[in-house]
């Protein structure tokens, strides 16, 4: 029997039961136990989302950690996990498509002026509003990995002019691929719509700050589904207040849930989502997680083990 410790912040016991059922389908000899239970000390694998990592200290048999999401910053932040413990992440095409839908929705809401039409509906005004010519817009996607590359390709397929940025140089048909600090600067100054899909690491923290917002074109739109820590929130707020950034759409924040007294709630040109752009789906992700558990059990390095030197 393989004991797997489970913790997913903010979710119910029903969610744990759903995971248990799905994982057992692929790996019947597995037992999912709550991270905070006594039994967790016998766990060889932990399946985690935003867990209190100090609980891992009691697990003397632990062979590896698996993130319940595509990002691993919630495990690696603070450097608490020894280098010899593999950290595995989910890479699920379902999540990439889900993100693609959310980014497209966010862009369309802005360029087709959804909120303007909703307000007209309230006052029974039947009148066309200004529409942006999508051919004249440049979309910059920061991070063109498992998720960003799908988003960039889908946007390009929808007729948008897309440029993408990554650490290593990429070649993707129909996308202008840039890398390095020159590439970043080009995206900042050329794009009309900025989409952040980066992982959070020491090199990407606060990457969007006042110097970057000032260099963006006046009237730019900023969309963030990476992590809240990519953005200096006060600087974004100032840029939205002045109108230099015309619209922001955010799914992630430095503090989640977003505190009730956060000034973002009162800023009309900032649209807020509660970290749901691409949720982990037990239906589609369980197979690869079960496989990762099996690999760790057998001392095999699982697919999608993160590179600890890069931090993603
Ligand atoms: P990924 O496959 O690791 O891709 C990351 C991309 O970012 C890669 O293109 C990588 O470049 C690039 N990158 C990383 N560090 C960089 C740097 N310093 N400079 C330039 N480019 C850099 O990650 P993913 O699976 O696409 O996920 C990305 C992030 O999305 C996650 O870490 C998470 O924070 C976020 N996410 C959010 C949600 C949500 O619901 N809001 C859902 C899932 C994921 P290379 O290709 O050269 O390595
Ligand atoms: C969600 O934010 C994820 O990292 O999967």
């Amino acid at each position: 029997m393989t004991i797997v410790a489970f913790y997913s912040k903010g979710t119910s016991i029903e969610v744990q039961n759903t995971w248990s059922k799905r994982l057992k389908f692929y790996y019947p000899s597995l037992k999912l136990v709550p991270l905070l239970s006594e039994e967790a000390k016998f766990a060889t694998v932990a399946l985690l989302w935003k867990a209190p990592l100090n609980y891992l200290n009691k697990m003397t048999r632990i062979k590896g950690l698996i993130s319940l999401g595509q990002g691993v910053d919630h495990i690696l932040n603070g450097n608490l996990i020894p280098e010899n413990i593999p950290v595995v992440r989910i890479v699920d095409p379902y999540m990439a498509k889900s993100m693609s839908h959310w980014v497209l929705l966010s862009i369309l809401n802005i360029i087709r002026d959804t909120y303007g039409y909703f307000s007209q509906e309230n006052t029974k005004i039947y009148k066309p509003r200004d529409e942006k010519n999508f051919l004249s817009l440049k979309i910059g996607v920061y991070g063109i990995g498992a998720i960003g590359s799908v988003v960039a390709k889908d946007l390009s397929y929808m007729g948008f002019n897309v440029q993408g940025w990554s650490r290593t140089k990429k070649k993707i048909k129909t996308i202008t691929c840039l890398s390095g600090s020159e590439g970043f600067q080009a995206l900042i100054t050329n794009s009309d719509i900025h989409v952040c899909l980066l992982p959070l690491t020491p090199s990407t923290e606060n990457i969007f700050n006042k110097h970057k917002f000032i260099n963006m074109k006046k009237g730019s739109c900023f969309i963030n589904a990476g992590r809240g820590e990519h953005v200096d929130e006060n600087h974004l707020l100032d840029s939205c207040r002045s109108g230099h950034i015309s619209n922001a759409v955010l799914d992630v924040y430095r503090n989640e849930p977003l505190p009730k007294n956060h000034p973002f709630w009162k800023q009309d040109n900032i649209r807020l989502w509660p970290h749901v752009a691409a949720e982990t789906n037990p239906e589609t992700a369980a197979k690869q997680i079960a496989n990762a558990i099996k690999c760790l059990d057998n001392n095999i390095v699982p697919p999608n083990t993160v590179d600890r030197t890069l931090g993603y």
Side-chain angles (χ1 to χ4, degrees):
M1 179 67 72
T2 303
I3 308 279
V4 177
F6 180 91
Y7 188 98
S8 178
K9 189 176 175 190
T11 57
S12 61
I13 186 71
E14 284 76 32
V15 172
Q16 182 181 321
N17 292 340
T18 302
W19 277 108
S20 178
K21 215 162 126 195
R22 289 297 296 159
L23 292 171
K24 272 165 138 346
F25 177 80
Y26 294 107
Y27 198 11
S29 66
L30 154 165
K31 184 175 182 193
L32 215 60
V33 303
L35 174 71
L36 308 191
S37 70
E38 265 303 298
E39 217 178 344
K41 67 174 177 241
F42 302 113
T44 47
V45 178
L47 188 50
L48 308 170
W49 180 251
K50 297 190 175 178
L53 297 176
N54 55 320
Y55 276 80
L56 299 174
N57 293 338
K58 64 179 179 181
M59 296 179 198
T60 52
R61 302 175 192 181
I62 201 83
K63 289 184 173 187
L65 309 178
I66 304 175
S67 168
L68 266 170
Q70 298 219 173
V72 289
D73 48 294
H74 64 103
I75 295 177
L76 296 183
N77 272 358
N79 283 323
L80 297 170
I81 310 302
E83 292 286 335
N84 62 330
I85 303 289
V87 176
V88 184
R89 71 189 193 100
I90 292 172
V91 176
D92 187 350
Y94 178 93
M95 288 173 78
K97 277 293 177 199
S98 204
M99 181 65 84
S100 201
H101 297 168
W102 182 83
V103 171
L104 182 62
L105 174 72
S106 302
I107 292 173
L108 292 181
N109 276 338
I110 287 157
I111 67 174
R112 301 302 297 258
D113 200 0
T114 302
Y115 306 108
Y117 282 109
F118 282 178
S119 69
Q120 288 193 180
E121 200 179 305
N122 289 336
T123 40
K124 297 186 180 159
I125 296 173
Y126 186 92
K127 189 170 156 256
R129 300 175 68 90
D130 285 345
E131 188 180 325
K132 287 193 169 69
N133 172 1
F134 68 86
L135 292 175
S136 68
L137 296 174
K138 277 205 173 103
I139 301 180
V141 179
Y142 301 80
I144 42 174
I147 291 178
S149 64
V150 173
V151 172
K153 281 187 255 185
D154 287 348
L155 290 172
S156 158
Y157 183 73
M158 292 302 294
F160 291 102
N161 183 336
V162 185
Q163 345 177 64
W165 184 67
S166 52
R167 191 180 50 81
T168 55
K169 184 87 181 137
K170 299 261 181 292
K171 219 172 169 184
I172 304 176
K173 236 163 79 181
T174 73
I175 313 294
T176 306
C177 292
L178 303 166
S179 59
S181 49
E182 265 177 42
F184 183 75
Q185 199 50 33
L187 231 65
I188 289 285
T189 51
N190 290 339
S191 307
D192 301 280
I193 298 179
H194 304 258
V195 181
C196 173
L197 294 170
L198 288 164
L200 178 65
T201 67
S203 0
T204 63
E205 188 169 358
N206 278 324
I207 193 162
F208 296 102
N209 53 42
K210 70 175 165 204
H211 306 292
K212 309 301 169 11
F213 291 127
I214 283 168
N215 280 314
M216 288 177 185
K217 290 185 196 173
K218 183 163 167 44
S220 286
C221 165
F222 179 74
I223 299 175
N224 187 18
R227 287 289 181 261
E229 291 88 342
H230 286 132
V231 180
D232 184 311
E233 291 184 341
N234 287 326
H235 294 172
L236 175 62
L237 198 60
D238 288 345
S239 304
C240 287
R241 279 179 176 148
S242 74
H244 186 72
I245 299 296
S246 61
N247 293 280
V249 187
L250 308 176
D251 185 52
V252 285
Y253 312 90
R254 285 179 173 265
N255 285 316
E256 294 182 5
L258 186 67
K260 293 252 187 270
N261 62 354
H262 197 290
F264 280 170
W265 289 111
K266 287 193 173 160
Q267 189 59 32
D268 284 347
N269 56 353
I270 302 184
R271 299 286 165 179
L272 307 171
W273 292 71
H275 202 146
V276 290
E279 293 187 278
T280 301
N281 178 358
E283 285 296 313
T284 54
K287 190 174 180 185
Q288 61 179 280
I289 294 179
N291 181 55
I293 296 169
K294 224 179 269 182
C295 287
L296 291 167
D297 244 0
N298 293 299
N299 302 312
I300 298 167
V301 178
N304 305 318
T305 296
V306 301
D307 181 333
R308 296 293 288 276
T309 53
L310 294 174
Y312 69 97

